[in-house]
Amino acid sequence: MLALTIAATVHISVLGSFHPVQFELQPAQGQTLVVEAQGRTEVLQGERMLPLTGPARVSGRNGAMVHFRLAVPGGVPREYNGRLEIRPSAGELLAIVEMDRETAVAAIVEAEGAAGLPFEARKAQAVVTRSYLAGAHNRHQGFDFCDTEHCQLLKGLAHPTSAALRATLATHGQVLVYKGDVIAAMYSANCGGHTKSLAQTNWEGAAIRQPGYPYFSVACPLRGKASGHGVGLCQMGAIEIARHGYSARIILGHYFPGTSIEAVATRQPKAAATSRTQLSAARAVPMPHTAHLALTANAGTGARATQ
Ligand SMILES: [Zn+2]
Ligand SMILES: [Zn+2]
């Protein structure tokens, strides 16, 4: 059996949809932030808010991950846990948070799931979300993913008592695997009755190049107006299946035929290694055909993109 490892952290660009030129940074309660900006190192504690208008790096003491709040001026602060880097880009500022992969999974599952979802549907979402984080490559330059539907929605940390966090813990490290690789599992809101195979979309050669998971058209228990690309997991259908008492495993087997669910080991990032390298679904023993992962470049659609 192949030992799959995936990176321990992901680099996610946050709040970019606000086209920020300034951020407001605050420690979460009881936290100490170490801020490096303009050649100076500053310690931020208590209620103090620091405006960031240029390149900066923020962490806890000794470069540790830390819990902080970040806002665009006049906006509602969002909470993150990780290490923050502010980079200038095309007249705006990018805020890139390096966060623990499981932290990102929980945050996305929370953003993707309304209150009152069946728990097994949320667990299925957690596995799909983690697979996408581990299996999708070259979505962006200089960081791994954004926080919009271009990649996957993320609106800050999942609440500590949330079902999203419990679903993440209950599926810790689990991903969808096809022919030995983690698949960049896609999902959409409502397939309308049948999901689509890649061959039925117009993304062939664009979104997910072969070899990769081809997806299959499967019947969905829920009809209705289609919303989204209809490839992979149907979120409404998954909820319906879970309401009938089926497990996340059954749901995932239904929407991703031919895949298996495997618990992967976490690879700690090497100091200053590029995130893209970390994200590769590399095997413990390097094998020549891992090179094909590079072929997923220039994906035209995200996990959940509506195109
Ligand atoms: Zn994106
Ligand atoms: Zn459906």
Side-chain angles (χ1 to χ4, degrees):
M1 182 167 155
L2 294 168
L4 284 163
T5 61
I6 60 177
T9 66
V10 288
H11 291 74
I12 297 183
S13 161
V14 301
L15 302 171
S17 48
F18 296 98
H19 303 285
V21 293
Q22 181 176 334
F23 289 103
E24 294 174 349
L25 174 72
Q26 243 186 340
Q29 197 171 20
Q31 301 283 301
T32 299
L33 306 184
V34 178
V35 183
E36 289 173 52
Q38 295 171 317
R40 297 206 328 249
T41 301
E42 196 169 345
V43 171
L44 194 62
Q45 282 176 318
E47 300 279 289
R48 231 184 102 210
M49 187 276 284
L50 184 70
L52 297 172
T53 56
R57 284 178 182 274
V58 180
S59 67
R61 293 198 189 277
N62 302 314
M65 291 199 172
V66 70
H67 189 170
F68 61 91
R69 297 192 183 102
L70 193 69
V72 293
V76 179
R78 291 185 181 175
E79 299 206 4
Y80 302 97
N81 195 87
R83 286 178 277 263
L84 171 68
E85 185 187 349
I86 306 292
R87 278 186 218 159
S89 173
E92 298 176 4
L93 291 178
L94 284 176
I96 296 160
V97 184
E98 180 189 8
M99 59 182 94
D100 183 86
R101 184 199 61 224
E102 296 297 309
T103 302
V105 171
I108 294 164
V109 172
E110 179 139 292
E112 285 290 349
L117 286 193
F119 191 58
E120 293 299 315
R122 240 187 259 271
K123 280 168 64 184
Q125 177 73 53
V127 174
V128 166
T129 285
R130 186 181 296 104
S131 301
Y132 190 80
L133 290 178
H137 303 280
N138 302 316
R139 301 284 309 156
H140 292 275
Q141 286 199 324
F143 56 93
D144 301 315
F145 301 102
C146 67
D147 66 351
T148 75
E149 289 187 2
H150 171 262
C151 289
Q152 299 192 85
L153 266 188
L154 186 154
K155 295 177 175 173
L157 280 178
H159 193 271
T161 61
S162 61
L165 191 58
R166 280 187 290 120
T168 302
L169 290 170
T171 61
H172 185 93
Q174 292 178 9
V175 292
L176 289 164
V177 173
Y178 179 72
K179 293 186 175 172
D181 283 323
V182 181
I183 70 168
M186 290 190 280
Y187 52 96
S188 62
N190 188 344
C191 71
H194 279 91
T195 68
K196 289 189 189 129
S197 67
L198 275 193
Q200 287 172 297
T201 71
N202 55 5
W203 311 335
E204 271 190 299
I208 304 288
R209 296 185 189 180
Q210 301 297 328
Y213 186 59
Y215 292 87
F216 297 91
S217 177
V218 301
C220 189
L222 205 68
R223 308 286 146 146
K225 193 174 180 302
S227 167
H229 52 57
V231 175
L233 180 87
C234 169
Q235 289 174 314
M236 299 299 287
I239 292 166
E240 187 65 16
I241 296 173
R243 284 206 172 114
H244 283 84
Y246 293 100
S247 68
R249 194 163 280 278
I250 298 283
I251 294 167
L252 293 168
H254 180 72
Y255 289 106
F256 300 91
T259 64
S260 58
I261 300 168
E262 293 185 23
V264 291
T266 291
R267 182 158 26 91
Q268 292 301 324
K270 292 184 191 76
T274 68
S275 57
R276 187 148 301 121
T277 312
Q278 293 164 25
L279 264 175
S280 300
R283 294 176 179 81
V285 180
M287 293 175 75
H289 73 275
T290 52
H292 83 250
L293 288 168
L295 292 176
T296 56
N298 306 316
T301 182
R304 190 181 192 291
T306 47
Q307 284 77 31

